[in-house]
Structures are given as C-alpha cells and as structure tokens.
Amino acid sequence: TLDPMANTCIPHPVSEIVRNPGLAGKKERPDGRYLGRGYHLYDTKFWYRRVRRYATRASLADAYSFVEVGKR
C-alpha cells in the first residue's frame, strides 16, 4: 500500500492492513511536513484500527464494491 502524499509504503495490501492494523507501524523518521500535516493520523495503525468499510474496484470504469471489516 503506497501513500505518496505521506511518503509511506506499507508492504501489505489494504485488505490485510485493515484485518491487522499493526502492519501499519509507526514511521521511523517522520519529518516536520509529515507531522505538521497530520499524516501520522491516517497512515498508521491509529487510522487502520478505525476502518469499518472500504471500497474496491478493478478499473475506473467499474462501480465500487464495498468490503465490511469485521468487528475487533
């Protein structure tokens, strides 16, 4: 999972991260931009622990398909 705005790469698909938010660990060396813009609030387990549903689609022409995340 790549978030170019936050300059973060989590080597797992979103489907795995929402099932196991610990896979989205803390950024090792966050810079001022990362902290100042609040990226630490949504590219770490803090964010992924709160995801209850997310959307997927195979191509831009397809409709969204929603995936419900199990209770934790």
Side-chain angles (χ1 to χ4, degrees):
T1 300
L2 176 64
D3 184 341
M5 271 181 45
N7 194 25
T8 299
C9 180
I10 303 169
H12 305 280
V14 170
S15 59
E16 285 184 34
I17 300 168
V18 296
R19 283 194 306 264
N20 183 1
L23 296 172
K26 267 183 139 174
K27 193 167 188 87
E28 287 188 31
R29 288 184 283 250
D31 59 21
R33 177 183 159 276
Y34 176 88
L35 295 171
R37 294 182 178 183
Y39 294 144
H40 63 288
L41 299 174
Y42 67 85
D43 78 337
T44 61
K45 67 181 178 181
F46 175 85
W47 169 262
Y48 288 102
R49 260 193 336 245
R50 289 159 174 75
V51 173
R52 296 293 173 248
R53 180 172 88 148
Y54 63 96
T56 64
R57 61 184 176 176
S59 75
L60 294 176
D62 293 344
Y64 287 110
S65 173
F66 290 93
V67 177
E68 300 290 329
V69 178
K71 302 249 185 212
R72 294 195 251 296

